[in-house]
Amino acid sequence: MRLPDPDGTRVVLIGVDEYQHFPPLPAVRNNLTELAKLFRSPLGGSLPARHCTTVLNPTDISSALDPVHRAASEASNTLVVYFAGHGTRLPDGSLRLAVRNSERGRKQYASVAFNDLRAEVLDSTAVNKVVILDCCYSGAALEGFMGSTDEVADETIIEGTYVMTASAATQAAMAPPDAPLTAFTGELVQAINNGIGEVPDPLDMSSLYKYVHGQLKSQGMPLPQQRASGLGHNIALFRNKWRPPTEKPTLSVKREEWFREIHQELLGHLRDVSTLAQDQLRSDLGDPTLIRSLLVARIATQLARGKSTTTISDILSSSGVFATPFPNTDELSELIAEVQFGYEADGLANSVPFLGSLGLSPWAPESTYMLLIEYWAAQRSRTMPRPRVERELSDLWDTTDTRVLSALSSLPSLPLVTYPDPWEKLKAEPDLRVGTVTAMVLGERGGGDLAWEHWMSTRPWSTLNARHLVQLGGDLVRCKAAKRTLAQYVALAPAGHDSRTVFVRAADIIEEQLKDIALAIESISAIEYDLLRERTADEHFQEGCLATFSKHLLARPQFFTPFEENKMNHGTWAALPWWSLVVHGGQEQGAVEDFLERGGLQLGIADQGPDADELVISCDEPSLGPSWITARLIFDLRDAAQACELLLLGRRQSVVLDFLTEHVDEWGDRQVHLAGSLDLSLGPEIGARLTEVATRSLRRLLPDSHGPSLHLEGVPALDRLLGSSRLPRIARCPR
């Protein structure tokens, strides 16, 4: 099947958009213009302009049929005649095509009899003949319609031709008001412009008709009809523009998409903040969107460490990220306030429990910052020498973390670009038996499907947006399961047997894939690897509980109220643990100033065994110094909210302690002031102990829960329990 020979092809496009006695059809003019472009384009075989005649608004029969007569006489290969306008029907059922001066009812002889057009087409010596009618009977020719034909498709049969009509016998062909093209021709043009999937190239008339019919049917439009004789269904007028995708996106492309989504979530409600405008940032530091995201994540990290707006503003002013003139204090304060609002409302993004369901936790903004820092360092190291990037990490981002420095060599991610899809590799395997066996062990037979489902169900993210990690981690667990299964098959297969050769080759393919997976994993950041690694049952349960707890914390308003009953209090801010300690007198206040300068508070845990109902954390001045500051925090392990708070504390391994002073004025009103904040590091040992106690308590409260199932964002049983519990109060004093 080939396109028509341009030299032997003639096309006549007839259309009427202005009538003296019928409603106008303005879309028809566009119909002719678009179809003429298509016939003259490479899609239509680059038909010469002189071989494609457009007849707009013929006034009588001669002006409409003379161009058809000439084209029919000249065409030796293909003749195409198209008409768009009003159609009328005589009492005997014959079809008339209304021209500009045609009238309703009487003077039917002023319209073109379709039989006359048909005769001209039949008289042509062209091998292929195509007639397309976008018209209908004038009884439905109200504004927005073109009329209807009765048994049009039967009447239009021409030997050796193909005929397509816009509607059935009693239906109206649609020309919607204000639409650029009529409904029928509009779908034709779209099909030709876009191509049609899974059909031959070039487009045969039957495939074109089926597509247009399906599109109009889905829209509730009148349905077209077709008739053909001989090989008319196979006539092709246009090339099929559609092409199947030739390449799947690489892991590197999927990773870039993931980072773009992270930027979008971080900057969602901050796009109008003037401080983040592109002209406010240095242009030589890389992608402005990435720089903006880094600034937001850095501010969130500082807020999570208890830093004041003034302190964070000073940090930003000296960072060297902004262009001159630098933003003033008020502009920086506005930016910080907006980031704080976003963190309080949704933990840095628009959804909970994870950043846009992308795997980044609201209780660890540092991980988001670290991820972006590693990504920036990798991008930067592609164009700058390593010593300069290391210096910029310190000067611009205050980062000396060894994970970031190691990322300078690993994150250019060539292994992610060249990573082979195991399923595509199997398609290319020359030995069908080997390919079949390998596919089977990667799937259900070898435990691959089960391994993937288990791995996915324990992910710390609730959707599949991190597609590169889903693919890489899924391939890893499938290949591990397949390796174990194939090792058993090889051991059981008799020596020298043909099946043993197949199993050994399949095992080699799996081993090669595991090496590619290992290289790809080396190319991702430490944060991504943490998202990728397999979770234990306890970790799965803990992350599900934290997700559920964070959702409840972020759903409540953030109002600080002074605590009256205790000297020291535990609570939260956004999705973070937060403590407050009230100090009295000059001696205690002097000790606090010393703590704020050098740190030095000592934490202790009093755990009364696995069945204890409470846990006590002590907070003391080392060696009970001159101020004798000491305080205790009591956590009720029978309370789901307090157990979750303890788990959050253990997993975060740090907490901010606000030192508060209070004053009762002359009217008896109590006023609380923030003296300062100290970011306390619990350390891995205390963090692990708190996590263990909290996990044990939550399992006791939720005996039938094992963490969220696949695609869930939390633990349903805990969600119900927290819904009826009293959540921790806000312990963070306003800055």
Side-chain angles (χ1 to χ4, degrees):
M1 188 166 52
R2 296 180 300 178
L3 289 181
D5 173 22
D7 291 335
T9 297
R10 298 295 185 272
V11 175
V12 182
L13 305 174
I14 307 170
V16 186
D17 69 339
E18 297 176 354
Y19 285 91
Q20 290 186 350
H21 306 289
F22 288 85
L25 297 170
V28 167
R29 182 183 295 263
N30 295 332
N31 285 3
L32 302 189
T33 301
E34 292 302 316
L35 286 173
K37 287 180 182 177
L38 289 172
F39 276 108
R40 295 166 185 168
S41 74
L43 288 175
S46 300
L47 191 67
R50 64 183 182 277
H51 291 177
C52 182
T53 303
T54 298
V55 183
L56 179 63
N57 294 324
T59 57
D60 53 26
I61 298 172
S62 296
S63 59
L65 290 185
D66 284 351
V68 176
H69 176 78
R70 286 194 300 272
S73 303
E74 296 171 359
S76 59
N77 184 276
T78 301
L79 173 65
V80 180
V81 179
Y82 167 92
F83 174 83
H86 285 296
T88 65
R89 187 181 62 172
L90 296 183
D92 64 359
S94 62
L95 175 66
R96 295 274 179 160
L97 309 178
V99 292
R100 191 172 187 274
N101 296 334
S102 298
E103 295 183 30
R104 297 176 186 271
R106 300 185 62 184
K107 294 189 178 180
Q108 293 291 350
Y109 55 83
S111 298
V112 176
F114 179 77
N115 282 337
D116 291 339
L117 185 147
R118 177 184 179 186
E120 291 295 335
V121 173
L122 276 173
D123 196 46
S124 174
T125 59
V127 176
N128 302 316
K129 306 177 183 72
V130 176
V131 176
I132 301 173
L133 301 177
D134 193 351
C135 67
C136 53
Y137 181 60
S138 62
L142 303 175
E143 183 176 354
F145 291 86
M146 292 192 296
S148 176
T149 64
D150 188 15
E151 303 300 327
V152 172
D154 289 332
E155 179 189 349
T156 55
I157 293 177
I158 303 173
E159 290 298 324
T161 70
Y162 177 90
V163 180
M164 191 187 304
T165 66
S167 66
T170 58
Q171 284 182 307
M174 290 291 294
D178 301 324
L181 303 173
T182 60
F184 170 74
T185 300
E187 291 300 336
L188 274 177
V189 168
Q190 181 172 321
I192 298 165
N193 272 323
N194 298 338
I196 305 174
E198 310 302 333
V199 301
D201 180 23
L203 281 172
D204 61 86
M205 296 306 297
S206 180
S207 297
L208 192 59
Y209 166 79
K210 289 177 182 178
Y211 176 85
V212 172
H213 187 280
Q215 292 296 106
L216 292 172
K217 184 177 182 180
S218 68
Q219 301 167 31
M221 292 287 188
L223 299 181
Q225 302 289 296
Q226 67 171 346
R227 294 289 187 274
S229 63
L231 299 177
H233 285 295
N234 294 330
I235 296 173
L237 301 178
F238 299 95
R239 299 202 65 84
N240 188 2
K241 189 176 181 180
W242 183 86
R243 293 292 182 272
T246 56
E247 294 183 1
K248 292 183 177 179
T250 65
L251 286 183
S252 180
V253 170
K254 293 177 180 179
R255 185 171 185 263
E256 294 297 324
E257 292 174 351
W258 184 60
F259 274 102
R260 282 197 295 271
E261 291 189 55
I262 291 175
H263 300 328
Q264 182 176 349
E265 294 289 349
L266 283 174
L267 301 172
H269 74 285
L270 297 168
R271 298 187 184 282
D272 296 330
V273 178
S274 60
T275 318
L276 293 180
Q278 186 165 342
D279 58 356
Q280 292 277 0
L281 305 173
R282 281 176 51 185
S283 59
D284 62 325
L285 296 181
D287 179 9
T289 302
L290 175 56
I291 301 301
R292 294 188 192 99
S293 299
L294 273 166
L295 283 169
V296 171
R298 186 177 189 185
I299 292 170
T301 298
Q302 296 299 323
L303 290 169
R305 292 174 179 170
K307 303 299 183 183
S308 67
T309 298
T310 301
T311 301
I312 300 174
S313 180
D314 291 341
I315 291 173
L316 296 178
S317 297
S318 60
S319 67
V321 174
F322 294 102
T324 53
F326 302 119
N328 59 40
T329 302
D330 290 341
E331 291 171 331
L332 291 175
S333 297
E334 178 195 9
L335 172 61
I336 296 165
E338 289 292 335
V339 174
Q340 177 177 320
F341 171 79
Y343 194 76
E344 290 176 349
D346 49 36
L348 269 186
N350 301 334
S351 67
V352 293
F354 306 109
L355 176 59
S357 299
L358 297 169
L360 305 176
S361 310
W363 61 83
E366 296 87 355
S367 66
T368 302
Y369 185 50
M370 179 63 66
L371 174 71
L372 295 174
I373 282 288
E374 291 186 53
Y375 183 64
W376 178 84
Q379 300 291 323
R380 192 72 169 155
S381 64
R382 295 175 186 175
T383 56
M384 297 294 170
R386 177 169 178 144
R388 175 171 175 175
V389 178
E390 291 180 358
R391 185 171 64 253
E392 289 178 338
L393 282 168
S394 176
D395 296 344
L396 299 175
W397 307 114
D398 193 28
T399 297
T400 57
D401 194 297
T402 56
R403 290 179 296 178
V404 176
L405 300 181
S406 65
L408 294 179
S409 58
S410 64
L411 282 185
S413 67
L414 181 61
L416 296 182
V417 176
T418 59
Y419 177 77
D421 186 320
W423 305 102
E424 294 297 325
K425 185 186 295 185
L426 294 183
K427 290 179 182 178
E429 172 59 40
D431 191 326
L432 181 61
R433 298 172 303 166
V434 172
T436 302
V437 167
T438 310
M440 289 172 59
V441 296
L442 283 171
E444 184 178 356
R445 290 288 188 88
D449 287 349
L450 187 63
W452 183 87
E453 289 175 6
H454 172 73
W455 177 80
M456 275 300 302
S457 70
T458 61
R459 293 305 82 215
W461 9 288
S462 56
T463 68
L464 308 182
N465 286 347
R467 295 194 300 151
H468 67 302
L469 298 181
V470 171
Q471 181 179 344
L472 195 56
D475 288 350
L476 176 61
V477 295
R478 284 183 186 276
C479 286
K480 285 184 176 180
K483 181 178 180 179
R484 292 190 294 268
T485 301
L486 285 170
Q488 296 174 3
Y489 287 174
V490 171
L492 293 174
H497 194 274
D498 193 37
S499 63
R500 184 183 179 88
T501 304
V502 172
F503 294 146
V504 169
R505 172 57 187 150
D508 289 342
I509 292 175
I510 294 298
E511 195 62 43
E512 291 169 5
Q513 190 68 32
L514 284 169
K515 291 179 181 178
D516 290 325
I517 293 171
L519 286 173
I521 289 176
E522 289 179 3
S523 299
I524 62 178
S525 67
I527 303 302
E528 287 171 284
Y529 175 73
D530 185 63
L531 294 174
L532 182 73
R533 67 177 178 82
E534 295 187 57
R535 260 56 179 174
T536 65
D538 274 350
E539 287 176 320
H540 178 209
F541 177 71
Q542 291 161 12
E543 288 172 344
C545 289
L546 288 175
T548 308
F549 187 51
S550 295
K551 180 180 68 175
H552 282 269
L553 293 178
L554 293 170
R556 64 179 181 154
Q558 299 281 315
F559 297 117
F560 171 78
T561 54
F563 306 129
E564 299 180 0
E565 64 271 25
N566 294 308
K567 183 178 181 180
M568 188 169 182
N569 296 279
H570 61 84
T572 60
W573 175 67
L576 301 173
W578 213 275
W579 294 348
S580 63
L581 173 64
V582 179
V583 294
H584 302 276
Q587 190 175 21
E588 288 186 355
Q589 292 182 24
V592 166
E593 292 175 3
D594 190 39
F595 296 154
L596 294 175
E597 183 177 345
R598 61 175 177 80
L601 282 177
Q602 180 175 301
L603 299 179
I605 299 175
D607 181 9
Q608 300 174 1
D611 298 323
D613 290 333
E614 67 177 27
L615 179 136
V616 179
I617 300 178
S618 61
C619 186
D620 305 313
E621 186 178 357
S623 303
L624 290 182
S627 65
W628 287 79
I629 289 181
T630 181
R632 296 195 314 162
L633 296 169
I634 302 175
F635 289 84
D636 184 354
L637 301 179
R638 298 165 299 181
D639 184 303
Q642 292 201 27
C644 285
E645 185 185 347
L646 197 64
L647 176 61
L648 184 63
L649 188 65
R651 286 294 296 268
R652 183 159 172 76
Q653 295 187 12
S654 68
V655 63
V656 174
L657 173 58
D658 282 349
F659 293 102
L660 309 178
T661 61
E662 59 180 358
H663 171 69
V664 179
D665 61 24
E666 57 187 287
W667 294 282
D669 293 332
R670 178 168 173 257
Q671 298 179 340
V672 175
H673 302 284
L674 178 65
S677 300
L678 182 64
D679 188 14
L680 292 174
S681 175
L682 307 183
E685 184 177 344
I686 292 179
R689 192 171 173 189
L690 294 180
T691 300
E692 178 187 358
V693 172
T695 304
R696 187 169 63 233
S697 301
L698 287 167
R699 287 198 181 278
R700 189 169 57 189
L701 292 167
L702 307 164
D704 298 324
S705 294
H706 306 285
S709 58
L710 188 62
H711 305 319
L712 289 181
E713 295 183 344
V715 180
L718 179 60
D719 187 58
R720 292 189 293 270
L721 200 56
L722 290 174
S724 58
S725 299
R726 180 182 177 185
L727 293 175
R729 288 177 293 182
I730 304 299
R732 182 182 189 266
C733 184
R735 269 50 190 153

